[in-house]
Amino acid sequence: METEQFVLKVINEPHVTYEQSPPTIAPKLVNQSSPLSPALWNTREFYCYYVCFAIVVPYMLYEGYSLSKEDNLNYSQFEHLLSKGWIMQRSVDNSDVQYRGFRDNIPKLILLAAVYLGPSHLFRHYMASKTTSQSGPLYRLYFFLSASLIILTILYGSSVLKILIIVSMSYTIGQMFQGSLWNPTLTWVFSLGMLFLNQLYHGYSFESLGQSFAWLDSYQGINMRWHILFNFTILRLISFNMDRYWQVKTSTSQYNLFEQTSGTFDGELITDKMRNTIPCPKSDYNYVYFLAYVLYMPLYMCGPIITYNNFISQIRYPSQNITTRGVAMYALRLSVVILVMEITLHFIYVVAISKAKAWDGDSAFQLSMIGYFNLLIIWMKLLIPWRFFRLWALMDGLWPEENMVRCMSNNFSAQRFWKSWHRSFNLWTIRYIYIPLGGSKYMIYNIWIVFTFVAVWHDIELKLFAWGWLICLFLVPEIVASRVYSFAKYGQTKYYRFICGVGAVGNILMMMAANLVGFSIGLDGLKSTVSNMFRTNEGFLFFLIACVCIFVGVQVMFEIRASEKRRGDPKWKM
């Protein structure tokens, strides 16, 4: 009983309550305290929606395919960006640099994962029995560190020294200042500084230190651009130092009670929230464990992000979420998504079209399809690497968050969208930025800081600042509308769902505009789309029809979430 009381107290302490999500600010179709609504799937209203889906979705796919055909007037403008494909002798749109780097190296990555997992499982099998106490040594971390250093040296050559120097400097800050406010202050200043400096100096060169070090620049490994993926490492550096800071701030009596009794917590009793919020024993915040966490190979390149507390907790008390059947099904789902992506890239060349800006003479509908399928491909190009590396971690016995909880097209709320898109990063920003700045009490102000950091973290570009600030600007109407027109006041009315649907249409249009500016066609492409849409009667008519179609989709999204709530799936809140 004392243990349970302590855990509750730790979780509810102001300095460790970081997994509390901000309140849902989307219009609510259902409420936890409301009675379950009857299913609408077999109603006349939804039969009309099914007819709409049966006509509109195939037509959208056809239009995307038509834009990519050789007889398209703009085909010659983007043809040079296409590569030789393997499906039906068609070319493939492999022009996205980010996804091409992953796609072209899938066989090598699978081989690397296999070579890593074999020794890892053997080491785990023979050394697991030696970790018997709550604060005993974690021998697996020595394997993690050794394997990661070997692989990183092969990948980045001498640049692994740059990585070790930077992460060691961050570790020094955490160890020197521990529970002092200088720890979080200097940690954030150092981390933001590294984001700027790494990009400004393109990963640095040893020659800049003097000619006697220039020879090291000739050993760049397989990939000399080590700094491109280092942004993920920055998140882990902040996590370690902040978790260290909060561990010190926990009172001695609470900490001792936890040390004495935590052995009773096995994998079945420890929740994911506990793994994040309950601090590790003081001895676990050491340099070897730190390096093993920061450089952990399965999650090093692109996540998902996992906090230091959670990482150590799972090594000591393995997660019961991982099953052989679950991992096998996850691998199968990943294979299916990769195949769908391949088919899409072989038949819909919208990435190449947007790169070449080859949309002269296209109608508003065609421009909209270029934008929509670009967003869909962005979703898949992120989903696939994230799931690949998450699968690698699952096979290694670690349970990271799923980054993509929903399909991109199944979102109607800007706030809920960010709960299900790059979810591990969302939880990271909530824990280390949003809650420490006051959480929902200062939501209107906090979101600007959060999304400015998110923009800087992605890349230091003007269009990404514009993207982040547009997201914040578009969140404001949703926040205001959900408070003025709340479920508590109007949720029982027959028209509530339809009024919310109209608001959701506006939300979706604004989210699409912001993400197209930040990650796809940019401001020029968005201006062309909007201009073509409203300068002609045909364009305006298309806009009205598109709004009706989105409204239909929103009603289906509402019912999907209502169904999830009826079966007790917590995902209905996202």
Side-chain angles (χ1 to χ4, degrees):
M1 180 62 95
E2 286 183 341
T3 299
E4 294 174 358
Q5 291 174 348
F6 166 70
V7 171
L8 292 173
K9 189 172 183 179
V10 169
I11 291 175
N12 290 315
E13 282 289 327
H15 62 277
V16 294
T17 315
Y18 302 106
E19 290 308 306
Q20 175 189 348
S21 297
T24 300
I25 56 179
K28 296 179 182 178
L29 174 63
V30 287
N31 188 282
Q32 284 180 308
S33 60
S34 66
L36 295 178
S37 57
L40 301 176
W41 298 115
N42 292 321
T43 61
R44 292 180 180 178
E45 175 192 346
F46 270 68
Y47 286 138
C48 294
Y49 297 161
Y50 302 151
V51 172
C52 181
F53 267 78
I55 295 172
V56 173
V57 174
Y59 187 55
M60 291 170 64
L61 292 169
Y62 174 76
E63 195 61 43
Y65 170 69
S66 297
L67 288 166
S68 307
K69 293 172 66 175
E70 293 184 9
D71 58 4
N72 184 284
L73 295 177
N74 295 318
Y75 184 82
S76 60
Q77 297 181 42
F78 61 84
E79 182 181 12
H80 67 283
L81 294 173
L82 305 179
S83 306
K84 184 177 180 180
W86 59 274
I87 298 178
M88 298 174 61
Q89 298 183 334
R90 287 185 59 84
S91 298
V92 61
D93 185 355
N94 200 27
S95 59
D96 184 277
V97 176
Q98 191 177 36
Y99 186 68
R100 182 170 67 236
F102 176 82
R103 179 181 182 269
D104 293 350
N105 289 292
I106 288 178
K108 296 176 183 177
L109 287 170
I110 292 174
L111 178 62
L112 176 63
V115 170
Y116 170 93
L117 287 169
S120 180
H121 278 268
L122 286 174
F123 196 91
R124 182 183 183 187
H125 175 74
Y126 287 108
M127 300 301 292
S129 60
K130 294 192 176 184
T131 303
T132 56
S133 66
Q134 189 270 338
S135 58
L138 300 171
Y139 294 104
R140 284 196 75 199
L141 296 183
Y142 293 89
F143 171 80
F144 289 167
L145 178 56
S146 302
S148 296
L149 287 174
I150 292 170
I151 295 171
L152 288 174
T153 302
I154 295 171
L155 287 175
Y156 300 130
S158 60
S159 291
V160 74
L161 296 174
K162 304 171 190 176
I163 295 172
L164 289 173
I165 290 170
I166 293 173
V167 301
S168 297
M169 290 170 66
S170 179
Y171 175 81
T172 301
I173 291 172
Q175 290 301 95
M176 283 184 63
F177 297 100
Q178 298 189 9
S180 166
L181 280 174
W182 284 107
N183 183 358
T185 302
L186 293 179
T187 293
W188 277 101
V189 170
F190 175 80
S191 300
L192 291 172
M194 284 297 103
L195 290 175
F196 282 93
L197 293 174
N198 288 351
Q199 181 167 324
L200 180 64
Y201 292 100
H202 306 288
Y204 317 103
S205 66
F206 287 103
E207 187 178 6
S208 61
L209 299 176
Q211 285 299 320
S212 58
F213 296 96
W215 63 274
L216 288 169
D217 288 324
S218 60
Y219 297 93
Q220 297 290 343
I222 298 173
N223 182 3
M224 62 182 294
R225 303 179 70 200
W226 65 271
H227 58 288
I228 299 300
L229 298 176
F230 194 76
N231 289 11
F232 288 93
T233 305
I234 291 291
L235 301 182
R236 288 187 282 270
L237 297 180
I238 294 173
S239 176
F240 176 86
N241 280 1
M242 293 300 292
D243 285 359
R244 175 67 167 136
Y245 171 75
W246 288 318
Q247 184 271 335
V248 175
K249 301 298 284 186
T250 303
S251 70
T252 304
S253 60
Q254 291 175 343
Y255 173 73
N256 289 340
L257 178 60
F258 174 65
E259 273 199 318
Q260 293 166 13
T261 61
S262 60
T264 62
F265 289 108
D266 57 34
E268 294 180 352
L269 296 177
I270 299 177
T271 66
D272 290 336
K273 183 173 181 178
M274 289 180 183
R275 292 185 188 277
N276 285 319
T277 56
I278 297 179
C280 304
K282 182 179 180 180
S283 59
D284 282 351
Y285 296 90
N286 62 65
Y287 187 61
V288 173
Y289 291 9
F290 163 78
L291 286 179
Y293 162 69
V294 169
L295 306 178
Y296 180 60
M297 201 60 232
L299 303 181
Y300 179 83
M301 295 186 186
C302 64
I305 307 303
I306 185 171
T307 68
Y308 183 77
N309 286 348
N310 194 339
F311 179 79
I312 296 298
S313 172
Q314 290 200 47
I315 302 302
R316 201 174 292 285
Y317 306 108
S319 174
Q320 300 299 305
N321 295 328
I322 302 174
T323 64
T324 302
R325 183 179 183 278
V327 172
M329 288 300 299
Y330 196 78
L332 178 61
R333 289 170 56 199
L334 173 62
S335 301
V336 171
V337 175
I338 292 175
L339 179 60
V340 171
M341 181 65 152
E342 285 297 302
I343 294 171
T344 303
L345 295 179
H346 277 79
F347 288 90
I348 301 178
Y349 302 149
V350 291
V351 178
I353 292 172
S354 63
K355 284 184 176 295
K357 298 184 179 181
W359 47 59
D360 294 340
D362 288 350
S363 66
F365 175 59
Q366 290 173 322
L367 286 169
S368 298
M369 290 303 97
I370 292 172
Y372 172 76
F373 283 112
N374 258 294
L375 291 177
L376 195 63
I377 289 172
I378 288 171
W379 175 72
M380 285 194 289
K381 81 168 186 179
L382 296 174
L383 172 76
I384 291 170
W386 281 337
R387 285 197 172 174
F388 175 86
F389 290 109
R390 182 173 187 260
L391 175 64
W392 185 351
L394 290 173
M395 296 177 74
D396 200 30
L398 203 71
W399 177 272
E401 281 284 347
E402 172 63 77
N403 265 341
M404 294 293 201
V405 179
R406 290 195 185 276
C407 175
M408 178 212 76
S409 300
N410 186 13
N411 288 279
F412 60 85
S413 158
Q415 195 273 334
R416 292 189 179 193
F417 174 77
W418 295 113
K419 282 187 176 183
S420 59
W421 176 289
H422 205 170
R423 177 164 173 74
S424 67
F425 189 28
N426 171 264
L427 293 175
W428 186 96
T429 57
I430 290 172
R431 176 170 171 78
Y432 298 110
I433 304 177
Y434 183 82
I435 297 298
L437 289 177
S440 58
K441 184 178 180 180
Y442 304 106
M443 178 189 294
I444 295 295
Y445 309 104
N446 289 346
I447 58 176
W448 295 90
I449 298 175
V450 169
F451 278 100
T452 298
F453 171 77
V454 171
V456 170
W457 179 82
H458 275 92
D459 207 347
I460 303 170
E461 290 186 67
L462 181 59
K463 70 174 185 178
L464 287 175
F465 281 105
W467 162 80
W469 295 333
L470 280 173
I471 293 293
C472 296
L473 187 64
F474 294 159
L475 274 169
V476 174
E478 182 178 342
I479 295 170
V480 174
S482 61
R483 291 180 178 176
V484 173
Y485 194 69
S486 66
F487 182 88
K489 291 182 180 179
Y490 304 99
Q492 303 306 316
T493 59
K494 294 182 179 179
Y495 52 82
Y496 180 77
R497 174 165 57 91
F498 300 104
I499 299 297
C500 288
V502 173
V505 170
N507 263 349
I508 290 172
L509 292 175
M510 289 188 289
M511 285 192 292
M512 289 182 68
N515 284 294
L516 285 172
V517 168
F519 298 102
S520 182
I521 59 178
L523 281 170
D524 292 338
L526 184 64
K527 288 177 182 177
S528 297
T529 302
V530 173
S531 176
N532 285 351
M533 195 174 294
F534 291 105
R535 72 183 178 185
T536 65
N537 292 334
E538 292 80 2
F540 186 69
L541 178 62
F542 160 72
F543 174 74
L544 295 178
I545 294 173
C547 287
V548 171
C549 293
I550 294 173
F551 179 85
V552 169
V554 165
Q555 295 304 315
V556 174
M557 294 179 211
F558 285 169
E559 186 58 22
I560 288 172
R561 285 154 182 78
S563 297
E564 289 169 348
K565 185 185 179 185
R566 283 190 287 269
R567 64 173 181 264
D569 187 344
K571 198 167 70 172
W572 73 270
K573 300 176 184 178
M574 301 181 193

PDB file of all heavy atoms in Angstrom, residues 491-506:
ATOM      1  N   GLY A 491     -24.268  19.463 -26.829  1.00  0.00           N
ATOM      2  CA  GLY A 491     -23.995  18.117 -27.328  1.00  0.00           C
ATOM      3  C   GLY A 491     -25.215  17.244 -27.542  1.00  0.00           C
ATOM      4  O   GLY A 491     -25.183  16.316 -28.355  1.00  0.00           O
ATOM      5  N   GLN A 492     -26.304  17.530 -26.836  1.00  0.00           N
ATOM      6  CA  GLN A 492     -27.493  16.678 -26.957  1.00  0.00           C
ATOM      7  C   GLN A 492     -28.426  17.121 -28.080  1.00  0.00           C
ATOM      8  O   GLN A 492     -29.429  16.459 -28.347  1.00  0.00           O
ATOM      9  CB  GLN A 492     -28.259  16.671 -25.625  1.00  0.00           C
ATOM     10  CG  GLN A 492     -27.427  16.206 -24.429  1.00  0.00           C
ATOM     11  CD  GLN A 492     -26.776  14.856 -24.661  1.00  0.00           C
ATOM     12  OE1 GLN A 492     -27.414  13.934 -25.177  1.00  0.00           O
ATOM     13  NE2 GLN A 492     -25.503  14.733 -24.291  1.00  0.00           N
ATOM     14  N   THR A 493     -28.107  18.216 -28.733  1.00  0.00           N
ATOM     15  CA  THR A 493     -28.967  18.679 -29.829  1.00  0.00           C
ATOM     16  C   THR A 493     -28.711  17.861 -31.087  1.00  0.00           C
ATOM     17  O   THR A 493     -27.609  17.361 -31.309  1.00  0.00           O
ATOM     18  CB  THR A 493     -28.707  20.169 -30.128  1.00  0.00           C
ATOM     19  OG1 THR A 493     -27.328  20.336 -30.489  1.00  0.00           O
ATOM     20  CG2 THR A 493     -29.007  21.017 -28.895  1.00  0.00           C
ATOM     21  N   LYS A 494     -29.723  17.761 -31.933  1.00  0.00           N
ATOM     22  CA  LYS A 494     -29.614  16.929 -33.139  1.00  0.00           C
ATOM     23  C   LYS A 494     -28.635  17.508 -34.156  1.00  0.00           C
ATOM     24  O   LYS A 494     -28.040  16.758 -34.937  1.00  0.00           O
ATOM     25  CB  LYS A 494     -30.994  16.769 -33.778  1.00  0.00           C
ATOM     26  CG  LYS A 494     -31.986  15.971 -32.928  1.00  0.00           C
ATOM     27  CD  LYS A 494     -33.309  15.810 -33.651  1.00  0.00           C
ATOM     28  CE  LYS A 494     -34.294  14.991 -32.806  1.00  0.00           C
ATOM     29  NZ  LYS A 494     -35.607  14.825 -33.474  1.00  0.00           N
ATOM     30  N   TYR A 495     -28.504  18.821 -34.146  1.00  0.00           N
ATOM     31  CA  TYR A 495     -27.676  19.454 -35.165  1.00  0.00           C
ATOM     32  C   TYR A 495     -26.221  19.646 -34.734  1.00  0.00           C
ATOM     33  O   TYR A 495     -25.405  20.123 -35.506  1.00  0.00           O
ATOM     34  CB  TYR A 495     -28.271  20.822 -35.542  1.00  0.00           C
ATOM     35  CG  TYR A 495     -28.535  21.730 -34.358  1.00  0.00           C
ATOM     36  CD1 TYR A 495     -27.512  22.487 -33.797  1.00  0.00           C
ATOM     37  CD2 TYR A 495     -29.806  21.831 -33.801  1.00  0.00           C
ATOM     38  CE1 TYR A 495     -27.738  23.310 -32.709  1.00  0.00           C
ATOM     39  CE2 TYR A 495     -30.045  22.649 -32.705  1.00  0.00           C
ATOM     40  CZ  TYR A 495     -29.007  23.406 -32.166  1.00  0.00           C
ATOM     41  OH  TYR A 495     -29.231  24.221 -31.090  1.00  0.00           O
ATOM     42  N   TYR A 496     -25.879  19.266 -33.487  1.00  0.00           N
ATOM     43  CA  TYR A 496     -24.527  19.509 -32.978  1.00  0.00           C
ATOM     44  C   TYR A 496     -23.463  18.852 -33.862  1.00  0.00           C
ATOM     45  O   TYR A 496     -22.451  19.460 -34.197  1.00  0.00           O
ATOM     46  CB  TYR A 496     -24.422  18.994 -31.537  1.00  0.00           C
ATOM     47  CG  TYR A 496     -23.061  19.196 -30.919  1.00  0.00           C
ATOM     48  CD1 TYR A 496     -22.669  20.447 -30.454  1.00  0.00           C
ATOM     49  CD2 TYR A 496     -22.154  18.139 -30.791  1.00  0.00           C
ATOM     50  CE1 TYR A 496     -21.416  20.650 -29.882  1.00  0.00           C
ATOM     51  CE2 TYR A 496     -20.908  18.329 -30.227  1.00  0.00           C
ATOM     52  CZ  TYR A 496     -20.546  19.584 -29.773  1.00  0.00           C
ATOM     53  OH  TYR A 496     -19.311  19.782 -29.213  1.00  0.00           O
ATOM     54  N   ARG A 497     -23.714  17.621 -34.231  1.00  0.00           N
ATOM     55  CA  ARG A 497     -22.730  16.882 -35.038  1.00  0.00           C
ATOM     56  C   ARG A 497     -22.493  17.553 -36.384  1.00  0.00           C
ATOM     57  O   ARG A 497     -21.357  17.576 -36.892  1.00  0.00           O
ATOM     58  CB  ARG A 497     -23.233  15.443 -35.236  1.00  0.00           C
ATOM     59  CG  ARG A 497     -22.395  14.585 -36.163  1.00  0.00           C
ATOM     60  CD  ARG A 497     -22.745  13.115 -36.015  1.00  0.00           C
ATOM     61  NE  ARG A 497     -24.143  12.847 -36.266  1.00  0.00           N
ATOM     62  CZ  ARG A 497     -24.652  12.524 -37.469  1.00  0.00           C
ATOM     63  NH1 ARG A 497     -23.845  12.443 -38.511  1.00  0.00           N
ATOM     64  NH2 ARG A 497     -25.922  12.266 -37.609  1.00  0.00           N
ATOM     65  N   PHE A 498     -23.519  18.144 -36.957  1.00  0.00           N
ATOM     66  CA  PHE A 498     -23.387  18.757 -38.283  1.00  0.00           C
ATOM     67  C   PHE A 498     -22.690  20.118 -38.195  1.00  0.00           C
ATOM     68  O   PHE A 498     -21.889  20.473 -39.065  1.00  0.00           O
ATOM     69  CB  PHE A 498     -24.768  18.889 -38.930  1.00  0.00           C
ATOM     70  CG  PHE A 498     -25.459  17.575 -39.114  1.00  0.00           C
ATOM     71  CD1 PHE A 498     -26.495  17.187 -38.274  1.00  0.00           C
ATOM     72  CD2 PHE A 498     -25.056  16.696 -40.115  1.00  0.00           C
ATOM     73  CE1 PHE A 498     -27.126  15.961 -38.438  1.00  0.00           C
ATOM     74  CE2 PHE A 498     -25.679  15.464 -40.281  1.00  0.00           C
ATOM     75  CZ  PHE A 498     -26.710  15.092 -39.432  1.00  0.00           C
ATOM     76  N   ILE A 499     -22.980  20.874 -37.122  1.00  0.00           N
ATOM     77  CA  ILE A 499     -22.276  22.146 -36.924  1.00  0.00           C
ATOM     78  C   ILE A 499     -20.788  21.892 -36.704  1.00  0.00           C
ATOM     79  O   ILE A 499     -19.928  22.581 -37.261  1.00  0.00           O
ATOM     80  CB  ILE A 499     -22.869  22.918 -35.728  1.00  0.00           C
ATOM     81  CG1 ILE A 499     -24.346  23.249 -35.978  1.00  0.00           C
ATOM     82  CG2 ILE A 499     -22.069  24.188 -35.471  1.00  0.00           C
ATOM     83  CD1 ILE A 499     -24.581  24.159 -37.147  1.00  0.00           C
ATOM     84  N   CYS A 500     -20.484  20.871 -35.903  1.00  0.00           N
ATOM     85  CA  CYS A 500     -19.077  20.492 -35.690  1.00  0.00           C
ATOM     86  C   CYS A 500     -18.435  20.065 -37.002  1.00  0.00           C
ATOM     87  O   CYS A 500     -17.248  20.329 -37.238  1.00  0.00           O
ATOM     88  CB  CYS A 500     -18.987  19.363 -34.674  1.00  0.00           C
ATOM     89  SG  CYS A 500     -19.339  19.869 -32.983  1.00  0.00           S
ATOM     90  N   GLY A 501     -19.219  19.414 -37.854  1.00  0.00           N
ATOM     91  CA  GLY A 501     -18.707  18.983 -39.151  1.00  0.00           C
ATOM     92  C   GLY A 501     -18.286  20.156 -40.018  1.00  0.00           C
ATOM     93  O   GLY A 501     -17.261  20.100 -40.706  1.00  0.00           O
ATOM     94  N   VAL A 502     -19.075  21.239 -39.966  1.00  0.00           N
ATOM     95  CA  VAL A 502     -18.726  22.436 -40.736  1.00  0.00           C
ATOM     96  C   VAL A 502     -17.410  23.022 -40.215  1.00  0.00           C
ATOM     97  O   VAL A 502     -16.520  23.391 -40.995  1.00  0.00           O
ATOM     98  CB  VAL A 502     -19.858  23.478 -40.647  1.00  0.00           C
ATOM     99  CG1 VAL A 502     -19.430  24.797 -41.306  1.00  0.00           C
ATOM    100  CG2 VAL A 502     -21.123  22.950 -41.310  1.00  0.00           C
ATOM    101  N   GLY A 503     -17.277  23.095 -38.896  1.00  0.00           N
ATOM    102  CA  GLY A 503     -16.021  23.581 -38.323  1.00  0.00           C
ATOM    103  C   GLY A 503     -14.846  22.699 -38.682  1.00  0.00           C
ATOM    104  O   GLY A 503     -13.740  23.191 -38.945  1.00  0.00           O
ATOM    105  N   ALA A 504     -15.070  21.385 -38.697  1.00  0.00           N
ATOM    106  CA  ALA A 504     -13.992  20.447 -39.020  1.00  0.00           C
ATOM    107  C   ALA A 504     -13.534  20.604 -40.467  1.00  0.00           C
ATOM    108  O   ALA A 504     -12.347  20.414 -40.772  1.00  0.00           O
ATOM    109  CB  ALA A 504     -14.453  19.015 -38.761  1.00  0.00           C
ATOM    110  N   VAL A 505     -14.452  20.946 -41.372  1.00  0.00           N
ATOM    111  CA  VAL A 505     -14.066  21.186 -42.768  1.00  0.00           C
ATOM    112  C   VAL A 505     -13.059  22.335 -42.831  1.00  0.00           C
ATOM    113  O   VAL A 505     -12.026  22.248 -43.510  1.00  0.00           O
ATOM    114  CB  VAL A 505     -15.305  21.510 -43.630  1.00  0.00           C
ATOM    115  CG1 VAL A 505     -14.885  21.996 -45.018  1.00  0.00           C
ATOM    116  CG2 VAL A 505     -16.192  20.275 -43.770  1.00  0.00           C
ATOM    117  N   GLY A 506     -13.359  23.421 -42.096  1.00  0.00           N
ATOM    118  CA  GLY A 506     -12.415  24.537 -42.042  1.00  0.00           C
ATOM    119  C   GLY A 506     -11.086  24.126 -41.449  1.00  0.00           C
ATOM    120  O   GLY A 506     -10.020  24.520 -41.941  1.00  0.00           O
TER     121      GLY A 506
END
